[in-house]
Amino acid sequence: MTISTKRILITGGAGFLGSHLCEYLLNQGHEVLCVDNFYTSTRRNILHLLKQPNFELMRHDVTFPLYVEVDQIYNMACPASPIHYQRDPVQTTKTSVHGAINMLGLAKRTGARILQASTSEVYGDPQVHPQTEDYWGNVNPIGVRSCYDEGKRCAETLFFDYHRQHGTGIKVARIFNTYGPRMLPEDGRVVSSFIVQALQGNDITIYGDGSQSRSFCYVDDMVKGIIGLMNSKEELTGPVNLGNPGEFTIKRLAEIVVKMTGSDSNIVYKPLPQDDPRQRKPDISQAKAELNWDPGVTLDEGLKPTIAYFQERLCQTEPGALSNP
Ligand code: NAD
Ligand code: UDP
């Protein structure tokens, strides 16, 4: 199949998901402009791409306007781990809302198609299980997670208003928990935290009693889903759930990680953070039917390269991402 070369902007392109997207799209022959302010990432994730002639890196904060000429925009910029997005909650909301306005303005001016990295967090602590796209969610508007949840909900609103008001070509992906190489060891997300704790022989910290559930998608599957959605028929605006429906309790995840790393770490229990969702599992019927997308990588299969990545990573040192301006 011949793929026509596009100029593609990826905001948050140096982050975990963004860097995999950059790599995948470069391999397809596209020109990639990676825009990032390195708030929750380092250049390390995209160092291997810097020498590629089709790759360009720009340090920029999406809360400020951006003037470039592109054909497609993947709007991935936003801290995604709870400890990162709660560190400066006002900036998190600004990144979601002002970032969406700026990138939608860019899409409107250039006629580019734009995809929003939305999230399962728009469902809050869901009372419908598994979550379907027509569920409006159960979100606390004033809690510690609200800067992220409500910021992402407002961004979705903006996407649909630009679509209705200006005819902007939009795609909204509701991404469920995704893991894999290039997550930050210290980002506090459950998969990276458990692996790093297990590899270092530290206690594995389960918040609450560990009976809360999440569904974990391997990064390669997610990137294919996101790109599939971007290039789907124009009428498919979404929102479309993207995630692996395999559901695990957090306790079970801890046991799997201990077993797979051969660690002698103990499992310890800590208080559950405020508004931590009890359960989460995507209904992906729409993505299966419309995108012919089915995430095939099981948790065991995806944890292997992820553990190997952290094993190698922990032997190296570099400054933490949040110390980067
Ligand atoms: P990440 O923190 O690794 O990546 C986010 C990137 O955005 C980082 O490189 C960060 O420096 C950059 N960024 C943050 N604020 C910015 C700003 N104001 N201007 C420019 N760049 C900025 O997180 P990730 O897991 O790769 O997530 C990427 C996107 O996908 C986020 O929008 C996130 O909300 C969404 N998402 C991710 C998951 C997941 O499980 N990984 C789940 C749901 C949604
Ligand atoms: N969690 C945990 N120990 C940790 C980190 C997270 O038990 O060291 C729990 C957390 O309370 C939540 C789940 O794992 O119930 C997923 O947390 P994560 O921060 O990865 O993502 P999110 O809550 O946004 O899905």
Side-chain angles (χ1 to χ4, degrees):
M1 190 176 70
T2 330
I3 296 171
S4 64
T5 302
K6 292 193 172 64
R7 299 163 301 173
I8 301 179
L9 165 63
I10 304 177
T11 75
F16 161 53
L17 283 177
S19 62
H20 286 276
L21 263 178
C22 287
E23 192 174 298
Y24 203 97
L25 292 166
L26 282 169
N27 285 340
Q28 285 190 332
H30 299 293
E31 287 177 28
V32 171
L33 171 59
C34 167
V35 163
D36 207 298
N37 69 350
F38 299 108
Y39 183 56
T40 54
S41 59
T42 67
R43 284 161 61 89
R44 173 199 174 94
N45 280 350
I46 36 99
L47 269 184
H48 62 299
L49 305 177
L50 289 176
K51 285 204 178 109
Q52 295 214 25
N54 281 353
F55 183 73
E56 195 180 343
L57 173 64
M58 184 191 288
R59 184 186 282 255
H60 175 81
D61 182 330
V62 295
T63 62
F64 296 95
L66 177 67
Y67 293 90
V68 291
E69 305 306 317
V70 289
D71 305 308
Q72 287 187 342
I73 304 167
Y74 290 85
N75 189 34
M76 311 300 292
C78 188
S81 138
I83 59 163
H84 287 171
Y85 69 65
Q86 289 170 23
R87 184 183 164 108
D88 185 348
V90 174
Q91 178 64 17
T92 298
T93 304
K94 278 190 188 169
T95 293
S96 276
V97 177
H98 293 192
I101 291 171
N102 288 328
M103 292 311 114
L104 284 161
L106 175 60
K108 184 182 157 202
R109 181 180 62 77
T110 56
R113 181 177 278 194
I114 181 166
L115 179 144
Q116 167 68 356
S118 191
T119 167
S120 50
E121 279 285 314
V122 301
Y123 301 121
D125 189 8
Q127 289 165 337
V128 167
H129 194 75
Q131 292 78 56
T132 44
E133 289 92 347
D134 57 5
Y135 176 48
W136 288 358
N138 176 36
V139 175
N140 176 359
I142 57 167
V144 293
R145 296 175 85 101
S146 311
C147 58
Y148 184 74
D149 299 13
E150 298 289 20
K152 289 285 187 178
R153 284 167 70 95
C154 184
E156 285 199 10
T157 306
L158 285 160
F159 267 68
F160 279 86
D161 282 336
Y162 266 75
H163 177 65
R164 283 185 289 256
Q165 198 174 331
H166 303 299
T168 307
I170 63 155
K171 304 281 173 184
V172 173
R174 289 191 179 149
I175 301 170
F176 284 65
N177 296 61
T178 304
Y179 68 96
R182 301 201 199 123
M183 296 180 90
L184 291 173
E186 72 278 16
D187 78 0
R189 290 190 260 193
V190 69
V191 174
S192 40
S193 295
F194 284 2
I195 293 175
V196 170
Q197 288 166 342
L199 291 176
Q200 294 183 327
N202 296 329
D203 289 345
I204 311 263
T205 54
I206 290 184
Y207 300 154
D209 63 5
S211 64
Q212 71 272 35
S213 72
R214 294 293 186 273
S215 304
F216 299 103
C217 186
Y218 188 61
V219 63
D220 285 356
D221 278 337
M222 181 54 64
V223 165
K224 285 177 197 152
I226 291 172
I227 294 173
L229 177 59
M230 172 64 104
N231 295 298
S232 63
K233 62 185 180 200
E234 200 180 331
E235 313 84 80
L236 184 66
T237 55
V240 174
N241 286 340
L242 294 178
N244 189 320
E247 184 183 7
F248 295 83
T249 64
I250 296 306
K251 187 162 187 283
R252 181 81 194 109
L253 175 71
E255 290 163 356
I256 294 170
V257 168
V258 168
K259 186 162 174 236
M260 287 184 69
T261 51
S263 172
D264 53 13
S265 290
N266 295 315
I267 292 181
V268 300
Y269 293 86
K270 303 260 178 181
L272 191 68
Q274 189 193 342
D275 294 336
D276 200 286
R278 286 287 319 150
Q279 53 182 0
R280 189 181 283 157
K281 169 183 167 129
D283 179 317
I284 57 165
S285 319
Q286 199 191 174
K288 276 186 176 170
E290 298 287 348
L291 310 177
N292 196 21
W293 180 76
D294 201 0
V297 181
T298 63
L299 186 58
D300 275 11
E301 287 165 352
L303 283 175
K304 274 184 213 144
T306 312
I307 291 168
Y309 171 80
F310 282 114
Q311 259 161 344
E312 196 189 325
R313 180 76 203 265
L314 292 175
C315 301
Q316 304 154 355
T317 51
E318 69 168 322
L322 288 175
S323 61
N324 271 338

